[in-house]
Amino acid sequence: MKKISVQTGGKLYLAGEYAILTPGQTAIIKNIPIYMTAQVREANQLQLKSDMFDYAVDMSADKGYALIQESVQTFALFLGKTVEALAPFELSISGKLEKNGKKFGIGSSGSVTVLTIKALATFFDTPLTKDQIFKLAAYTLLKLGDNGSMGDIACIAYNDLVAYTSFDRETISDLILEKSLTELLAMDWGYEIVTIVPQLKAEFLVGWTAQPTLSSQMIKDLKSHLSVNFSSQTQKQVLALKSALQAGDRDTLVRSLETVSDLLVSLSPAIYTDKLKTLKEAAEGLEVVAKSSGAGGGDCGIAISLNPAHTTLLKQRWKDAGIDLLYQESWSTCQI
Ligand code: PMV
Ligand code: MG
């Protein structure tokens, strides 16, 4: 019996949050190797299971499974078939990115779309490029009215540190109604995804506040606060950060991350909760830069430490403040 298994990781924003919602802006997003798994095997009838829920479904509309079901629809459409015409399979998803029922905030609702599409492509022997995976996942999310920038799925589809320049989601959403999926996939959507290899010796750390937050709601609340000034200043720093990572320029790296963090503070007080403030302040006096990541209001923050002794101090400060070290990774100067 045919059975396959695939994984997708998580992601966290380093810089460019909120500004990336404006088409043409850039964000830097880091893959986090904490994985979700999907298994697909032959079955008598189509069945979808996720450890997020205590029940399984077929393709009958179900709120909990809507994203997974829509991803299955997209994949069938990509093959030029109806879902009923596909050989029946059982898809099981596991590895919810959470602890004690509280999500880490490193995945996103979007990750399951990438995971489902990758799993079905493997099961049905249909190799897809990273860009095809990204576009198919974005197509699925847009159809469901997702209000995000798609930066999350860009990073998760590439499973790498990326600089993502966003496309105009309104234009593509309109085109979904007019064009076939094949036509849409052949089009240039105007986004760019470039992988970045950091050229500096540093420790990358993720701190978890254990306070879950909903990005879609934060976007709704803050969208009207976005200004041209915020976007252009953020863009300048994001591009500076990108070059600093590639050139191993420590000073610019710290300065650009500090500045995007200040810009987020100025955007809304809702972003830096007390715990995220503590997470950031723990870097004070150290050769470390720390900030909230993503929508803010909870979830995770990130830190980049340029001094091993200071990494230890930061970790102790986080621990004392009840911030969990979710992930740590060493960067060296030569990763190519
Ligand atoms: O909280 P996260 O990691 O899902 O990031 C949200 C980032 C935003 O720019 C606020 C929204 C988006 O979709 O880009
Ligand atoms: Mg979040």
Side-chain angles (χ1 to χ4, degrees):
M1 190 178 58
K2 188 169 183 183
K3 188 174 170 186
I4 65 94
S5 172
V6 302
Q7 294 194 305
T8 49
K11 63 89 195 51
L12 279 176
Y13 276 79
L14 294 192
E17 301 94 332
Y18 291 102
I20 190 68
L21 291 165
T22 305
Q25 291 273 144
T26 306
I28 299 187
I29 314 162
K30 171 84 182 82
N31 63 306
I32 306 294
I34 299 177
Y35 291 98
M36 291 200 300
T37 304
Q39 287 193 342
V40 187
R41 59 183 177 88
E42 284 172 32
N44 293 329
Q45 56 201 28
L46 186 147
Q47 199 174 37
L48 308 172
K49 285 185 191 169
S50 160
D51 66 353
M52 296 276 287
F53 312 108
D54 56 8
Y55 62 97
V57 296
D58 54 17
M59 289 298 283
S60 319
D62 180 276
K63 222 172 159 220
Y65 280 88
L67 265 173
I68 299 172
Q69 289 173 326
E70 196 65 38
S71 308
V72 173
Q73 289 284 5
T74 299
F75 183 75
L77 188 61
F78 175 73
L79 292 184
K81 294 187 174 170
T82 61
V83 174
E84 297 71 39
L86 296 176
F89 59 86
E90 182 191 282
L91 167 72
S92 321
I93 292 178
S94 61
K96 38 187 176 182
L97 306 171
E98 60 167 58
K99 185 169 150 190
N100 302 332
K102 289 182 190 151
K103 73 168 179 97
F104 292 148
I106 58 163
S108 62
S109 40
S111 2
V112 84
T113 310
V114 175
L115 181 62
T116 302
I117 287 167
K118 264 179 76 171
L120 294 181
T122 306
F123 184 73
F124 287 103
D125 300 313
T126 313
L128 296 177
T129 65
K130 288 170 182 166
D131 270 285
Q132 281 175 317
I133 294 172
F134 172 70
K135 278 180 161 171
L136 290 171
Y139 173 91
T140 309
L141 291 169
L142 288 175
K143 261 187 144 171
L144 289 173
D146 189 282
N147 66 356
S149 65
M150 308 292 153
D152 47 357
I153 56 171
C155 179
I156 291 167
Y158 273 66
N159 194 31
D160 211 332
L161 173 62
V162 298
Y164 166 68
T165 304
S166 60
F167 63 96
D168 190 330
R169 278 96 56 215
E170 262 177 49
T171 306
I172 300 297
S173 295
D174 289 346
L175 288 176
I176 286 178
L177 306 173
E178 290 167 25
K179 295 202 182 285
S180 70
L181 179 58
T182 314
E183 286 173 316
L184 269 175
L185 288 177
M187 276 180 55
D188 178 0
W189 292 11
Y191 68 83
E192 193 178 61
I193 305 170
V194 182
T195 58
I196 299 173
V197 183
Q199 292 300 321
L200 74 167
K201 211 168 166 320
E203 285 291 319
F204 169 75
L205 303 106
V206 175
W208 181 49
T209 63
Q211 294 167 332
T213 168
L214 251 188
S215 300
S216 54
Q217 189 57 46
M218 291 288 288
I219 298 172
K220 264 186 214 148
D221 296 347
L222 301 199
K223 220 171 167 192
S224 61
H225 300 204
L226 293 174
S227 66
V228 174
N229 189 40
F230 171 81
S231 295
S232 63
Q233 291 202 48
T234 301
Q235 181 71 356
K236 199 172 134 198
Q237 299 305 326
V238 166
L239 297 181
L241 174 64
K242 183 182 169 199
S243 310
L245 284 164
Q246 288 167 331
D249 175 349
R250 296 156 60 107
D251 291 347
T252 307
L253 174 117
V254 172
R255 215 175 325 114
S256 58
L257 281 165
E258 288 287 359
T259 313
V260 283
S261 176
D262 292 345
L263 286 162
L264 288 172
V265 172
S266 73
L267 181 65
S268 164
I271 294 175
Y272 272 95
T273 57
D274 287 347
K275 213 146 176 201
L276 282 171
K277 270 186 211 153
T278 311
L279 179 150
K280 179 175 183 349
E281 284 162 8
E284 273 172 22
L286 307 179
E287 276 178 74
V288 179
V289 55
K291 67 179 277 294
S292 76
S293 170
D299 284 345
C300 291
I302 55 106
I304 296 176
S305 170
L306 302 169
N307 176 321
H310 292 182
T311 305
T312 310
L313 283 171
L314 177 85
K315 281 159 74 171
Q316 190 56 49
R317 289 180 187 178
W318 277 4
K319 197 169 177 204
D320 294 344
I323 292 159
D324 274 19
L325 178 71
L326 195 61
Y327 177 66
Q328 183 175 349
E329 179 179 297
S330 299
W331 291 348
S332 55
T333 41
C334 189
Q335 303 190 6
I336 298 174

